[in-house]
Amino acid sequence: MPSARLDPATRSRSLANLGREEVDILVVGGGVTGAGIALDAATRGLRTAIVDGQDWGAGTSSRSSRLVHGGLRYLYNLDFRLVAESLHERGILLTTTAPHLVTAQPFLWPLRTPVIERAYSAVGVGMYDALGLIGARRRTVPFQHHYSLTRTKEVFPDAREDALVGSIRFFDARVDDARLVTTLIRTAVRYGAHAVSHAEVTELPRDATGRVTGAVVVDHLSGEQVEIRAGHVIGAVGVWTEHLQGLAGSEGPLHVLASKGIHLVVPRDRIRGNAGMFLRTEKSVLFIIPWPDHWVIGTTDTPWSEDLTHPVASARTWTTSSSTPTRCSPRGSRART
Ligand SMILES: Cc1cc2nc3c(=O)[nH]c(=O)nc-3n(C[C@H](O)[C@H](O)[C@H](O)COP(=O)(O)OP(=O)(O)OC[C@H]3O[C@@H](n4cnc5c(N)ncnc54)[C@H](O)[C@@H]3O)c2cc1C
């Protein structure tokens, strides 16, 4: 079996091979989507290559809230299929494919009013537990647990006593997002895929019928150009989708609107709590996620029209009679299709 190394020598060998041999599948984009596609293709025995113009996971896949969740909030849209599928995947990651990278994480769902809110929240979380059980075909995280105000304060001492009457504890999972991507790529390489980072697709050559026959990549380390011939080229480029479709000479069916997500990162000792918090906001939800040394609080979701590769903090100032609000740092860009 080939080695799973992602070192400079393997990279050079892969690039040289790709200049000579045609592959069945060329995946453009080494975020979590492309890495998963490459692994899927390689394990089916297809001759596979994956390239990324930056490092593996350098796009949105290293800037997420680092949660593997079924999307409790999608239950509000009655999207049961989506939630069940995500919980199925969560179960596989937790128990089989990446238990070293994905950790079960308890969250508190704070309740502001007694009885009615507790009852309907219990139904929602109960459905989430049930879909998790059905999806994974076994229990992979504990079921919901109901807490009084006193117990909530024991678990989360800094929760404001006057803001809640109790809580429900439920489970989701935390992931090291960038390591998960690298591990997927390494595993694909182990199954024979060629993986080349810092190799940007700049052209998509086509035959007389207009069919894409491969890609021209620029090796950002050497400046050289290599043409890779491929039976199929799969774009997994997230917010860069419209640009890649443009290289293929098509406006394409997908329109992706970039948006900016902001997380606040707070030292762990500033908030006393032994679980995460799941809060509903006016427009969406907000997670307070515990990490070993920090709390990660987010995320926002606002449009982003600047450089996709380097989302940066924007200081927005507007004139009011008294204040100058500041915006905090963006952590990524979200693709909406
Ligand atoms: C703030 C925020 C929080 C989120 N939190 C979560 C969460 O907690 N849990 C969750 O499951 N999801 C979360 N998401 C969503 C998740 O992060 C994304 O759905 C996922 O990372 C998208 O991965 P991708 O591989 O499709 O895109 P990307 O990770 O962006 O990968 C695309 C890759 O394509 C490469 N590329 C682009 N153009 C070219 C080219 N011409 N040639 C070669 N390479 C190219 C880029 O360099 C990039 O590496 C969050 C998203 C945001 C924005």
Side-chain angles (χ1 to χ4, degrees):
M1 217 178 206
S3 124
R5 282 169 184 262
L6 290 181
D7 57 12
T10 316
R11 180 184 180 281
S12 302
R13 259 198 315 277
S14 287
L15 204 52
N17 279 337
L18 289 173
R20 289 191 299 264
E21 300 162 11
E22 180 170 347
V23 291
D24 299 315
I25 303 282
L26 170 64
V27 183
V28 186
V32 71
T33 309
I37 295 169
L39 177 58
D40 186 306
T43 50
R44 287 168 198 266
L46 297 166
R47 289 170 300 158
T48 305
I50 179 165
V51 295
D52 197 296
Q54 308 178 74
D55 204 351
W56 307 120
T60 313
S61 297
S62 58
R63 298 159 194 259
S64 77
S65 299
R66 294 162 173 70
L67 290 176
V68 174
H69 54 145
L72 192 46
R73 69 182 155 136
Y74 299 122
L75 282 182
Y76 282 92
N77 309 336
L78 305 179
D79 202 340
F80 300 117
R81 247 174 77 165
L82 176 71
V83 177
E85 188 186 345
S86 307
L87 291 173
H88 173 58
E89 299 278 338
R90 185 188 74 181
I92 295 172
L93 284 163
L94 269 168
T95 58
T96 313
T97 50
H100 59 306
L101 298 176
V102 180
T103 319
Q105 173 62 52
F107 282 94
L108 296 185
W109 172 317
L111 301 170
R112 290 187 181 82
T113 56
V115 191
I116 294 178
E117 191 188 358
R118 190 179 283 280
Y120 81 70
S121 304
V123 172
V125 180
M127 210 178 281
Y128 198 59
D129 284 338
L131 288 172
L133 186 66
I134 295 164
R137 290 181 199 91
R138 64 185 156 130
R139 203 163 88 166
T140 52
V141 295
F143 288 153
Q144 64 173 294
H145 208 87
H146 285 242
Y147 289 160
S148 63
L149 177 57
T150 311
R151 181 72 184 121
T152 303
K153 287 286 291 176
E154 279 167 16
V155 175
F156 211 105
D158 276 345
R160 262 180 55 184
E161 211 161 302
D162 58 341
L164 39 94
V165 298
S167 63
I168 301 176
R169 187 215 62 197
F170 71 97
F171 271 79
D172 252 320
R174 254 172 30 193
V175 61
D176 185 333
D177 55 3
R179 261 184 87 198
L180 181 66
V181 173
T182 321
T183 305
L184 287 166
I185 303 266
R186 283 174 66 107
T187 314
V189 168
R190 180 122 190 110
Y191 281 91
H194 293 299
V196 186
S197 61
H198 300 283
E200 182 182 347
V201 170
T202 53
E203 285 173 50
L204 291 172
R206 283 170 285 162
D207 64 16
T209 65
R211 188 174 169 281
V212 172
T213 55
V216 175
V217 301
V218 172
D219 175 359
H220 284 312
L221 302 189
S222 68
E224 278 171 29
Q225 277 197 359
V226 176
E227 180 164 351
I228 304 172
R229 284 170 302 120
H232 297 272
V233 176
I234 300 179
V237 291
V239 287
W240 291 269
T241 296
E242 286 178 40
H243 176 69
L244 195 72
Q245 284 176 165
L247 293 183
S250 109
E251 284 185 9
L254 291 171
H255 296 285
V256 178
L257 177 69
S259 75
K260 177 176 66 178
I262 298 172
H263 298 93
L264 291 176
V265 179
V266 178
R268 187 68 197 261
D269 61 4
R270 301 298 164 87
I271 302 172
R272 287 172 308 144
N274 298 310
M277 278 266 183
F278 173 83
L279 305 168
R280 290 192 54 88
T281 64
E282 244 174 70
K283 289 188 190 158
S284 183
V285 297
L286 185 81
F287 287 97
I288 304 180
I289 309 159
W291 278 84
D293 299 325
H294 295 95
W295 292 94
V296 175
I297 304 171
T299 174
T300 58
D301 187 353
T302 51
W304 175 256
S305 54
E306 310 294 325
D307 182 5
L308 294 175
T309 310
H310 302 290
V312 290
S314 48
R316 202 176 75 183
T317 310
W318 65 92
T319 317
T320 63
S321 53
S322 58
S323 64
T324 307
T326 330
R327 309 297 290 276
C328 41
S329 64
R331 304 274 300 176
S333 41
R334 186 193 302 271
R336 285 201 212 116
T337 53

